[in-house]
Amino acid sequence: MSSSPRGSPRVLVVDDEDDLRDLLEITLLKMGLDVDGAADLARARALLAAHDYDLVLTDMRLPDGLGLELVREIGAAGRNLPVAVVTAFGSAENAVVALKAGAFDYVTKPVQLDQLRLMVQSALKLAAPAGPAAPRAEPVDSRLKGQSAAMQALRAQIARLARSMAPIAITGESGSGKELAAREIHAQGARADKPFIAVNCGAIPEALMEAEFFGYRKGAFTGAADERDGFFQAANGGTLMLDEVADLPLAMQVKLLRAIQERRVRKIGATAEEPVDVRIVSATHQDLARCVEQGRFRQDLFYRLNVIELSLPPLRDRLDDLPVLIDAILVRLSAAGGQPAVLGPGVLDALRGYSFPGNVRELENILERALAFSNDGVIDAADLALKGAKRVEAPAAAVPALSAAASAAVPAAPAPLPDAALSMPAGAQAGERSGERMPPLPDLSVLPSNLPAYLERVEREILLRALAQTQYNRTQAAQLLGISFRQLRYQMQKLGIQEPEG
């Protein structure tokens, strides 16, 4: 066979069926590629030793062995060479095995030439000269922040996964960044210039799922005034992320399995299927294997989606990344709020002592809430309001020293309120200053008939006592109660507490 012009990408086709090998070679030559053919593993190995290739396309079953041997040998040699396999129709298990072994992608017999061309184009975008694979540097604009060992290993794994079309199942706790990881895989892969569509499977009503995933024809049902594409068509050529995939009902799991295996979908109301080319990335915080055991998730779909598993570390296992994450979050919050946001003394130590059950998403929420309570954009440890965390005092060195004159004018810091103060008559502490007589707190052994009014009364009582003990110095009262000045001011306004005149 004639070959295309010198310098074109070169492809090796390995298949013992002469007719199929000729068909593949002709198709690739028409795409402007150089093509070599081999009928068995021995000839393929000889050609691989003699030439540099940009893609290998091999059948699964060959006279002297399996195409999987070729996949593993090329992977073990560390060559940046995509390998795609040709599997028999309906042999989904073989395709999964090949992808797990390191194959770039697969096509099924009878070969659909349009799908073959799409696969070859994707593979050639990733092709590189043969040789040892150089480690990929972290992208400057990486979505996954942090330099801990866990994050460096995660980014290295993502760089490898981006070179494959194998389905990926991302696991991790809520808020750990599963969608960010999926977007990073997409951005580093051959489909980066194509759509990335993220779908929350738990947010779609069951009755609308088929229409949302596969689309519908005009008039297919009441209200279908126009033809509409589904998620698969919208992601065609790119990546479809199925977030919270464990929430899919069983009936939809069957239809999704067929669409993934056959790479074809049928719109509601249509009579023919249409090909789609999407890479599937799924994510869930649930244990899919346990869902299979419980009968809530199909085992065949589990094996189809879980070809490669990518596990994200929780934030509590990479607390060294906190400074980087906090800086990135504060930059975003500062841009949105129009004022700079910085951490005060002791804040980082307080955050390091917290377990972050909600991971990075919770960190973002904590900082956003703390910024709202902060003074002039300076977040104090008390602004964090961390539940179950040890209170961290600001280091004394961080407090600027006062002159002798200024020190004399500032009252000494108040001592904490004793427990007995919560039950003693209020007049002894605050009556003279506030001018209002405050009754003692209600007996806690008696259940209140109006809980909101009871809690408001308790909160008002405590605030008044703290203010009276500090002679209405609100800064010291806030320190006494372990809250920020802004929080104290907000509570005083809410409860209508006014500072007495004079």
Side-chain angles (χ1 to χ4, degrees):
M1 283 200 172
S2 63
S3 69
S4 53
R6 184 178 180 84
S8 300
R10 193 165 191 168
V11 181
L12 172 61
V13 177
V14 186
D15 200 301
D16 60 331
E17 296 182 30
D18 294 338
D19 293 342
L20 179 57
R21 190 172 67 251
D22 289 346
L23 173 64
L24 296 176
E25 290 181 4
I26 291 172
T27 302
L28 297 175
L29 286 170
K30 287 183 177 180
M31 294 177 65
L33 308 176
D34 283 332
V35 185
D36 291 330
D40 52 36
L41 287 176
R43 176 59 178 164
R45 290 183 178 117
L47 289 171
L48 282 168
H51 305 285
D52 291 336
Y53 290 98
D54 299 281
L55 172 65
V56 175
L57 184 61
T58 178
D59 194 7
M60 283 288 286
R61 297 186 179 278
L62 297 166
D64 53 349
L66 296 175
L68 284 179
E69 297 178 36
L70 212 55
V71 174
R72 295 191 178 100
E73 289 171 10
I74 292 174
R79 301 175 66 174
N80 291 321
L81 175 58
V83 184
V85 298
V86 181
T87 66
F89 178 78
S91 300
E93 296 80 4
N94 288 340
V96 171
V97 171
L99 293 171
K100 284 183 178 292
F104 165 78
D105 206 350
Y106 70 94
V107 291
T108 57
K109 299 179 182 179
V111 176
Q112 303 292 326
L113 296 183
D114 53 350
Q115 291 185 356
L116 174 67
R117 295 188 188 97
L118 289 172
M119 184 271 293
V120 171
Q121 290 169 358
S122 295
L124 293 180
K125 289 180 182 178
L126 294 175
R136 183 167 183 163
E138 174 189 352
V140 176
D141 58 346
S142 173
R143 298 167 177 82
L144 300 169
K145 306 296 182 183
Q147 292 299 325
S148 63
M151 291 307 295
Q152 291 187 35
L154 178 64
R155 281 195 294 266
Q157 190 174 2
I158 285 176
R160 293 193 298 270
L161 296 181
R163 298 185 57 81
S164 166
M165 292 298 107
I168 298 174
I170 303 177
T171 60
E173 298 177 3
S174 294
S176 57
K178 293 186 287 295
E179 184 172 339
L180 290 180
R183 289 184 180 275
E184 194 75 8
I185 293 169
H186 174 77
Q188 294 189 34
R191 298 170 178 256
D193 58 341
K194 300 298 183 181
F196 176 91
I197 304 296
V199 180
N200 188 335
C201 299
I204 306 173
E206 185 172 354
L208 300 179
M209 275 195 169
E210 186 173 0
E212 291 292 324
F213 275 96
F214 307 135
Y216 52 82
R217 300 292 297 273
K218 180 179 180 180
F221 50 83
T222 303
D226 299 296
E227 183 169 347
R228 179 182 171 184
D229 287 340
F231 296 134
F232 273 85
Q233 292 93 340
N236 195 28
T239 302
L240 178 60
M241 178 187 179
L242 305 176
D243 198 8
E244 298 302 341
V245 69
D247 293 335
L248 283 172
L250 288 170
M252 188 61 203
Q253 292 178 28
V254 178
K255 298 170 183 176
L256 181 63
L257 176 64
R258 175 175 173 78
I260 294 174
Q261 287 187 170
E262 306 303 329
R263 300 186 178 184
R264 291 177 172 273
V265 297
R266 179 185 288 113
K267 290 183 176 180
I268 297 177
T271 57
E273 293 181 329
E274 56 184 287
V276 289
D277 172 35
V278 298
R279 183 180 192 182
I280 299 294
V281 177
S282 60
T284 181
H285 70 279
Q286 300 186 48
D287 187 342
L288 274 186
R290 183 175 295 276
C291 292
V292 171
E293 294 175 359
Q294 296 172 348
R296 296 190 294 113
F297 203 83
R298 290 182 61 95
Q299 187 177 51
D300 46 7
L301 180 58
F302 169 73
Y303 287 130
R304 205 74 182 90
L305 296 176
N306 201 50
V307 173
I308 299 175
E309 183 175 340
L310 180 67
S311 180
L312 301 190
L315 181 54
R316 62 181 172 274
D317 289 347
R318 56 183 190 101
L319 293 177
D320 290 344
D321 292 333
L322 274 178
V324 177
L325 292 170
I326 291 171
D327 286 346
I329 294 170
L330 291 184
V331 167
R332 178 175 56 81
L333 294 177
S334 299
Q339 67 172 356
V342 296
L343 298 186
V347 174
L348 187 57
D349 290 334
L351 291 172
R352 281 180 172 142
Y354 187 58
S355 62
F356 291 102
N359 294 288
V360 181
R361 185 184 297 123
E362 184 180 11
L363 174 63
E364 293 177 347
N365 294 339
I366 289 172
L367 292 176
E368 187 170 8
R369 181 181 65 239
L371 183 60
F373 283 110
S374 66
N375 294 320
D376 299 325
V378 180
I379 298 175
D380 295 325
D383 297 327
L384 300 174
L386 300 177
K387 297 180 179 179
K390 296 181 180 179
R391 184 178 171 189
V392 178
E393 301 293 342
V399 181
L402 298 176
S403 64
S407 299
V410 177
L417 284 171
D419 294 338
L422 296 179
S423 59
M424 64 186 297
Q429 293 186 32
E432 297 85 357
R433 177 78 187 189
S434 66
E436 58 177 295
R437 183 172 178 80
M438 294 171 292
L441 293 177
D443 184 1
L444 297 180
S445 64
V446 179
L447 291 178
S449 58
N450 187 331
L451 182 60
Y454 170 82
L455 294 176
E456 183 174 317
R457 180 183 175 190
V458 172
E459 185 176 13
R460 179 182 175 84
E461 173 79 0
I462 293 174
L463 288 178
L464 284 170
R465 294 181 184 182
L467 289 165
Q469 182 170 326
T470 60
Q471 299 181 338
Y472 271 74
N473 185 315
R474 291 182 293 176
T475 299
Q476 292 187 14
Q479 294 175 356
L480 186 67
L481 296 173
I483 61 176
S484 69
F485 176 84
R486 191 166 187 168
Q487 286 174 301
L488 177 70
R489 185 175 60 186
Y490 169 77
Q491 296 298 332
M492 290 178 64
Q493 292 174 352
K494 184 182 74 170
L495 298 171
I497 298 176
Q498 301 291 332
E499 184 173 355
E501 298 180 1

